[in-house]
Amino acid sequence: MLQRLLPRRLDRQVMLLVSLLLGLIIPFFAVHEADKSAIRVVNSAVLQAQALAENIAVTSVEHIVTQDFSSTEQLLLRSARFPGVHQVKISDVEGRVIADVFVDQTGEPVLRYEEQLIDIPGSVNVQLKQVSGQLTVWQPIEGAHVVGWLRLNYSLAEAENIAKQYLYDYMMDGLMMIVMLVALIQLVMRRPLRMLRDAATFAGQLKNKHGQMIPIDSRSLEIEQLGIALNEASVNLFEQDAVIKKTLKALNTQKSAMDEHSIVSITDVDGCITYANQKFVDATGFSRDELLGKKHDIIKSGFHSRRFFSGMWDVISAGGVWHGEILNKSKCGEEVWVNTTIVPFMNESGVPYEYVAIRTDISEQKKVEKELEEKAYSLAQLMDNLEDLVRLRTSELEQANLQLQHLNKVKSEFVSVVSHELRTPLTSIKSFAEILQNDIEELDIDSQKHFLSIINEESDRLGRLINDLLDLQKIDSGKVDWNDRRVNVAELLMSSAELFVQAFSDKGLQFEMTLSESELSVNIDVDRFKQLFVNLLSNALKFTASGTVTVAMAAIGNEVEVSVSDTGLGVPEEELGSIFESFHQVNSSDTREIGGSGLGLAICKDIVEHYSGHIWVESEQGKGSRFVFTLPLAEGSEKTA
């Protein structure tokens, strides 16, 4: 609705916008200044009233003390002629009226005594009260002590009229300023806007692609830049038009060559034929009119299953290129084998809008293949004795293939994880190092220390990743030196846990250890045991935002069982079986943000299994995890049934 009301020309839109802005800002400023002037006028009137009341009070002290009430009345009659005075009244210290003068409608002060007793203020301080343009001043009359009270009623009407005149004057000045500014802006904008209209006309003519140039007006930076951009666009369009024509010529040549060699058809997204070359017409026996608008069902032979074609559609509808061999049937019933490639053409949203099918007739090749198959069958009959050997070899190859697939998967996961984990800290190190190198003189010492600490942390992160990779490679290759000796499990757990006490405290986590038996021993490499336990504690620290991390140890039969429990993110049920695989990471946004190489748990598993132990996890997503491992007790160690 607003767009319909706005003018379409830019200069009028600018004038309207400027007028609206000035119409809002200048009146606001005028009202603000008028208010300040009005406050000054009213304050001045209040000060005058206070000064008058003080003068009357000082002059009337002697009259009240000598009880010369006639002089007091004369004093009030003279004072009431002061502009703005509405009524003046003097009372004794108890509130009995001594003199009362009121200014009538003709502006003359007259004596009257409508009140014999008035309520005087409770304190001896000067008091002011302003209500509806009327100011009341209570002034104590003091000699050696307070001898009476003066009440002066003063009109602020004149001050308010002056304030209104200020507002009117400011508003008129603001209106004149708006008119002058709008006229000035319109004068300044006239030439640039004319240049913009000329540029718009020139831009509309660019479709002719003749490479014309618009004159550049350098008196306005924006207009100059627009002119330069339009000229560049004109040149680019001219050059691109030549390239497009050349490309179209090459494409037409390629299309002609393809039509001479291959059977080509194009279908829309629903599979209806929109184009068929002459070779397609010749191969199917249908006329082009019979083919256009129809689906390829018209040449379906019935040889292939529904699953075959649904698989094909799954590939091409997802944007993939499909390759395969299809048996078609011509109009006269002749079977035609074609080697087919179907290429989807995608729109800007990545959705296919048409499919191009390129086919080669392989009917003769299929005929030869069939003859070879028949001969191969005959040969197979002669090689019955080799059948078992072939089957065994095939089984071995299948197993080898599965192993290769697994290794390929591990390699892909390794490349993905390690490239990410290496790139992330390296990016941070490089970024902050460049900041320090280029801007070190502009950075304070705290910022420099902060950037250096980040570089140090990311370097440590790289070191941990490399160490994990080296450890895993050594374990897998059997090149690890296992320096086994008898150690006390409880002491080893406590010494290792000391490294994390401060980290858990800094993160606000409670850390508890429950070691039911303190004399359990195992034969193990101390460094590998610490690596195993520290990996589990590190995971608990990383994936627990709040709550408790608990370590427990107990003897179960001839084994010691150690568990690390947390109240963190937990592990989805579908990933519990693969969490100890190399480079495996839980697939969730929270864990991806925390990061990790996916090697820690794989190393833990290798260490535990090296000592004939077991490791597993019990977890519920969102409620935490409990990682448990067991190791055989050393001979003579304390046991619990």
Side-chain angles (χ1 to χ4, degrees):
M1 181 64 184
L2 182 61
Q3 292 180 346
R4 296 178 183 175
L5 298 176
L6 289 174
R8 297 190 62 187
R9 286 181 52 176
L10 180 60
D11 55 344
R12 294 177 182 175
Q13 291 181 2
V14 172
M15 291 301 105
L16 178 61
L17 178 60
V18 171
S19 301
L20 288 175
L21 289 175
L22 294 175
L24 292 174
I25 295 173
I26 293 180
F28 175 81
F29 177 76
V31 171
H32 178 69
E33 291 299 316
D35 284 344
K36 291 198 298 185
S37 299
I39 291 172
R40 288 196 297 269
V41 171
V42 172
N43 288 341
S44 176
V46 171
L47 291 175
Q48 290 178 7
Q50 284 184 265
L52 178 62
E54 185 176 353
N55 289 333
I56 297 173
V58 171
T59 306
S60 64
V61 171
E62 183 180 352
H63 301 325
I64 295 175
V65 172
T66 60
Q67 295 188 350
D68 185 0
F69 300 136
S70 175
S71 297
T72 302
E73 290 175 346
Q74 292 302 316
L75 173 64
L76 295 189
L77 287 171
R78 291 194 303 273
S79 300
R81 294 186 180 278
F82 192 86
V85 176
H86 181 68
Q87 184 179 18
V88 188
K89 187 176 294 188
I90 292 179
S91 70
D92 61 16
V93 73
E94 295 180 354
R96 289 187 292 272
V97 177
I98 296 173
D100 185 2
V101 173
F102 176 78
V103 178
D104 62 13
Q105 294 181 349
T106 64
E108 290 297 321
V110 295
L111 291 169
R112 69 173 187 179
Y113 295 92
E114 294 180 351
E115 297 178 288
Q116 299 301 318
L117 185 67
I118 60 176
D119 294 329
I120 60 177
S123 66
V124 296
N125 298 321
V126 177
Q127 297 189 15
L128 302 175
K129 185 177 181 181
Q130 185 175 339
V131 179
S132 301
Q134 197 79 3
L135 176 68
T136 301
V137 182
W138 283 95
Q139 178 72 39
I141 303 173
E142 299 177 285
H145 58 275
V146 177
V147 297
W149 281 92
L150 167 70
R151 189 180 78 181
L152 173 66
N153 290 342
Y154 191 87
S155 175
L156 299 176
E158 183 64 23
E160 292 178 349
N161 289 334
I162 293 173
K164 291 179 181 178
Q165 185 61 39
Y166 274 129
L167 177 60
Y168 175 79
D169 292 342
Y170 275 116
M171 291 299 292
M172 293 303 297
D173 291 343
L175 180 60
M176 292 180 62
M177 186 178 295
I178 290 174
V179 173
M180 293 174 63
L181 287 174
V182 170
L184 179 61
I185 292 173
Q186 187 172 13
L187 181 64
V188 172
M189 293 291 292
R190 179 181 300 171
R191 182 177 180 84
L193 289 173
R194 186 176 71 250
M195 291 298 300
L196 284 176
R197 288 194 294 271
D198 293 342
T201 303
F202 178 75
Q205 297 171 350
L206 289 181
K207 62 183 180 180
N208 296 326
K209 304 170 188 173
H210 296 313
Q212 301 102 320
M213 306 289 278
I214 188 174
I216 302 296
D217 188 344
S218 59
R219 282 175 287 183
S220 171
L221 177 61
E222 290 79 5
I223 299 298
E224 180 182 6
Q225 292 175 342
L226 177 61
I228 293 172
L230 285 172
N231 285 336
E232 290 178 352
S234 177
V235 173
N236 289 337
L237 281 173
F238 180 73
E239 293 175 350
Q240 290 174 9
D241 183 57
V243 172
I244 290 172
K245 289 179 179 178
K246 184 177 179 181
T247 304
L248 285 175
K249 183 178 180 180
L251 287 175
N252 287 330
T253 302
Q254 294 173 9
K255 177 179 177 296
S256 299
M258 183 178 294
D259 285 339
E260 289 296 324
H261 174 74
S262 303
I263 301 170
V264 181
S265 67
I266 300 176
T267 63
D268 59 20
V269 71
D270 295 321
C272 296
I273 299 172
T274 59
Y275 170 80
N277 71 349
Q278 187 58 45
K279 279 193 171 292
F280 189 89
V281 172
D282 296 340
T284 60
F286 291 97
S287 67
R288 188 171 280 105
D289 291 339
E290 290 176 315
L291 291 171
L292 295 181
K294 303 294 192 306
K295 294 187 177 182
H296 281 86
D297 293 350
I298 194 172
I299 57 173
K300 184 182 291 186
S301 64
F303 175 79
H304 303 284
S305 66
R306 182 176 298 176
R307 181 180 299 178
F308 175 84
F309 289 107
S310 64
M312 177 191 72
W313 275 103
D314 289 343
V315 172
I316 61 176
S317 60
V321 177
W322 184 86
H323 302 278
E325 297 176 351
I326 301 177
L327 177 61
N328 292 329
K329 183 176 289 187
S330 67
K331 185 176 182 180
C332 63
E334 180 183 356
E335 292 185 345
V336 180
W337 276 98
V338 287
N339 191 345
T340 305
T341 298
I342 303 178
V343 181
F345 278 49
M346 319 295 283
N347 59 21
E348 295 178 354
S349 302
V351 178
Y353 66 90
E354 69 178 12
Y355 304 100
V356 177
I358 304 170
R359 304 173 180 86
T360 303
D361 191 337
I362 57 171
S363 300
E364 290 299 323
Q365 176 184 332
K366 280 293 183 179
K367 186 182 295 184
V368 172
E369 288 178 358
K370 185 176 181 181
E371 293 175 355
L372 290 175
E373 286 177 0
E374 292 175 351
K375 293 179 180 180
Y377 178 75
S378 300
L379 182 61
Q381 298 297 319
L382 300 175
M383 299 178 65
D384 287 339
N385 294 333
L386 298 176
E387 185 176 354
D388 292 339
L389 181 60
V390 172
R391 186 180 296 110
L392 177 61
R393 185 57 177 166
T394 301
S395 177
E396 292 174 351
L397 290 174
E398 289 176 350
Q399 292 297 322
N401 184 51
L402 291 175
Q403 186 176 6
L404 286 174
Q405 290 177 1
H406 175 71
L407 291 175
N408 187 56
K409 178 183 177 183
V410 170
K411 182 197 74 174
S412 299
E413 292 174 345
F414 169 83
V415 171
S416 174
V417 172
V418 173
S419 62
H420 176 268
E421 292 300 314
L422 285 174
R423 187 182 294 111
T424 301
L426 282 174
T427 300
S428 298
I429 291 171
K430 180 173 176 59
S431 298
F432 287 104
E434 288 177 349
I435 293 174
L436 289 172
Q437 181 182 7
N438 298 328
D439 304 325
I440 191 167
E441 295 180 358
E442 301 176 7
L443 297 174
D444 56 36
I445 191 65
D446 290 334
S447 298
Q448 294 177 25
K449 289 181 178 180
H450 175 63
F451 291 163
L452 287 173
S453 67
I454 293 175
I455 293 173
N456 188 49
E457 290 172 1
E458 295 300 324
S459 298
D460 290 341
R461 180 176 173 185
L462 276 174
R464 288 193 298 271
L465 174 61
I466 293 170
N467 287 335
D468 284 345
L469 289 171
L470 293 176
D471 286 343
L472 185 65
Q473 190 274 334
K474 287 180 180 179
I475 293 172
D476 287 343
S477 63
K479 295 181 180 180
V480 176
D481 294 326
W482 301 89
N483 300 313
D484 297 346
R485 62 186 177 89
R486 187 185 183 101
V487 292
N488 183 287
V489 180
E491 293 177 356
L492 202 51
L493 290 174
M494 288 188 290
S495 65
S496 300
E498 287 178 356
L499 302 174
F500 287 81
V501 171
Q502 187 60 43
F504 285 124
S505 176
D506 292 343
K507 198 172 181 180
L509 301 176
Q510 292 185 352
F511 179 62
E512 300 174 359
M513 294 191 74
T514 304
L515 309 179
S516 60
E517 298 178 67
S518 61
E519 298 300 324
L520 299 178
S521 299
V522 295
N523 290 317
I524 198 168
D525 185 317
V526 173
D527 291 337
R528 297 304 170 190
F529 182 92
K530 287 186 176 181
Q531 184 180 17
L532 160 64
F533 185 55
V534 165
N535 275 344
L536 297 181
L537 286 180
S538 177
N539 279 350
L541 175 64
K542 284 196 297 185
F543 297 104
T544 305
S546 61
T548 305
V549 175
T550 304
V551 176
M553 181 196 76
I556 307 296
N558 294 323
E559 294 181 319
V560 60
E561 181 183 278
V562 179
S563 65
V564 178
S565 305
D566 61 60
T567 57
L569 297 176
V571 182
E573 182 178 355
E574 64 271 16
E575 300 207 41
L576 290 175
S578 55
I579 195 168
F580 292 99
E581 294 180 2
S582 299
F583 307 107
H584 179 81
Q585 291 180 315
V586 176
N587 189 19
S588 70
S589 59
D590 292 333
T591 56
R592 287 299 184 189
E593 288 181 0
I594 295 172
S597 63
L599 297 175
L601 291 178
I603 292 173
C604 291
K605 180 173 180 289
D606 287 342
I607 293 173
V608 171
E609 291 183 350
H610 175 78
Y611 290 101
S612 302
H614 302 280
I615 186 168
W616 67 92
V617 60
E618 301 165 359
S619 181
E620 183 174 354
Q621 192 170 12
K623 295 186 178 180
S625 304
R626 178 172 178 263
F627 285 85
V628 189
F629 67 89
T630 63
L631 294 172
L633 287 168
E635 263 189 285
S637 182
E638 184 175 325
K639 305 175 185 178
T640 301

